[in-house]
Amino acid sequence: MERRPTMQKLSVIDTHAHLDMKDFATDYDAVVARAIDAGVSKILTVGTDVKSSAKAIELSQKHPQIFAAVGIHPHDAANIQKTDINRIAEMVKSPKVVALGEMGLDFYRNYSPREAQLQVLKWQLELAAEVSLPVVIHDRQAASDVQKILAEWVKLIHPQCPGVIHCFSGDKQTAGRYLDMGFYLAFGGYISYPNSRAPEVIKTVPQDRLLVETDCPFLPPQAYRGKRNEPTYIILTVVTLGGILGKSAEAVANQTTENAERVFKF
Ligand SMILES: [Zn+2]
C-alpha cells in the first residue's frame, strides 16, 4: 500500500511585526504561542521610538524565536535629539538586535515635519554604517527622497546587504531602483487585497530578494480585514505569494526564510 506523504507544516519568518504595541498587551503570550504553533520560526519585532525599541529588546530576550530591530519611525521624528540616537546606538549591543529601524520618510501622513524626518533618517543611516547592521526602511509617498538618500549612503558603505524596504507598495520602476541598490523588498497581507498592484510588481522581483512580513497589528490579509493582524497570518501571505508566483507555499516559505536569514544573519 502506498502512503501519501502528510502535508508538511510550513516554516516561515515574519520579518516585520510590532509586538510591543498595546494591541497585544492583553494576549501577548497567546499571540506568540499561536504563531510558533502555526510554523512561524522567527519574528522580527521592530521598534518605532526609543521606548518601543527598548521594549522590542525586552521581548526578544524572553523568546528564542523573537529578534529585535531598534530605531525611530518617521512618524516619531519630531523632537528627536542626537542623544536619542545615542541611546539607540547603545541598544545595538544587545545580541538579539539584528537591524536598525524602522526608519524612513512618510510624506503621506506627515506626522512629523519633513526636516525632522530627514535629519533622523540621516542620523540612523550613519549609525547603521558604523555598526554594520541592515536597515529597515519605511517609504510612504517619499520614494524619490528616500532613494536619493539611500543611493548616496549605499555608495559610501558598499554594504553586501543594505537592508529591507518594508511593506513595499511602489511600482515596478521604484522596485527596480531599490533592487539595483541591493535592497530586499518585503510584502505583507495587503498583497491579497483585490485592488492591490503588488502581484504585478512581485513577478518582477528576483526571488532571492523577496521577504514576507505582517506589519502587525496593521494591514491584515484580506481574510481578516478590519481585524487586528498577528504573526500567525503570515502563513496566508506565503500562500498568496505562492499563487502569484505559481509556486508551492512550501517553496515560497523556504525561499523567503533563506532570504531573511541572509539579510538579518539570524
Ligand atoms: Zn512597521
Side-chain angles (χ1 to χ4, degrees):
M1 195 176 77
E2 208 186 330
R3 279 181 112 199
R4 292 181 68 100
T6 46
M7 164 98 163
Q8 260 200 324
K9 192 152 82 174
L10 300 174
S11 177
V12 182
I13 296 180
D14 181 357
T15 61
H16 196 111
H18 295 287
L19 296 179
D20 69 289
M21 288 190 175
K22 62 177 185 314
D23 309 68
F24 298 112
T26 55
D27 63 344
Y28 174 79
D29 290 324
V31 166
V32 174
R34 204 151 48 227
I36 293 168
D37 198 47
V40 182
S41 62
K42 289 172 187 149
I43 304 170
L44 180 59
T45 190
V46 180
T48 55
D49 60 15
V50 171
K51 205 174 139 203
S52 98
S53 296
K55 184 85 191 292
I57 293 176
E58 203 186 302
L59 299 176
S60 74
Q61 286 163 343
K62 281 188 210 147
H63 289 275
Q65 295 89 345
I66 298 179
F67 295 80
V70 293
I72 314 282
H73 194 286
H75 287 342
D76 298 284
N79 308 316
I80 291 293
Q81 309 293 325
K82 190 69 199 290
T83 49
D84 297 308
I85 306 298
N86 297 341
R87 289 178 67 191
I88 296 289
E90 276 300 306
M91 292 181 194
V92 165
K93 292 172 188 160
S94 163
K96 294 298 286 289
V97 172
V98 297
L100 281 174
E102 141 171 28
M103 66 177 80
L105 301 175
D106 193 314
F107 294 166
Y108 177 67
R109 300 261 183 221
N110 279 310
Y111 287 154
S112 291
R114 292 187 179 199
E115 277 315 303
Q117 293 189 37
L118 285 161
Q119 177 62 76
V120 170
L121 172 59
K122 285 176 184 169
W123 277 336
Q124 292 183 92
L125 289 173
E126 280 168 23
L127 175 59
E130 252 171 61
V131 299
S132 299
L133 279 181
V135 293
V136 178
I137 299 292
H138 172 107
D139 159 18
R140 188 109 191 253
Q141 287 189 16
S144 69
D145 290 78
V146 172
Q147 290 188 334
K148 215 164 71 195
I149 292 165
L150 291 181
E152 286 307 307
W153 177 70
V154 166
K155 263 191 269 170
L156 205 74
I157 61 164
H158 302 289
Q160 273 197 311
C161 169
V164 177
I165 309 302
H166 125 78
C167 230
F168 185 78
S169 58
D171 59 18
K172 289 179 198 172
Q173 288 69 31
T174 309
R177 284 191 289 268
Y178 279 128
L179 290 165
D180 287 346
M181 286 187 239
F183 281 92
Y184 287 58
L185 303 183
F187 294 88
Y190 58 89
I191 68 171
S192 62
Y193 297 172
N195 59 353
S196 173
R197 67 175 167 183
E200 287 316 305
V201 177
I202 286 169
K203 288 176 192 157
T204 68
V205 179
Q207 290 180 21
D208 62 356
R209 299 283 197 90
L210 281 172
L211 298 174
V212 286
E213 60 168 47
T214 58
D215 199 23
C216 64
F218 312 109
L219 292 172
Q222 183 67 20
Y224 293 95
R225 241 170 142 174
K227 302 206 172 79
R228 178 188 72 178
N229 196 5
E230 60 175 77
T232 303
Y233 304 159
I234 193 78
I235 306 291
L236 296 175
T237 296
V238 165
V239 171
T240 304
L241 200 51
I244 293 166
L245 296 171
K247 294 193 137 207
S248 69
E250 196 190 358
V252 171
N254 292 343
Q255 176 77 66
T256 54
T257 293
E258 206 183 296
N259 297 346
E261 289 176 343
R262 194 182 316 118
V263 175
F264 298 114
K265 300 185 177 71
F266 58 13

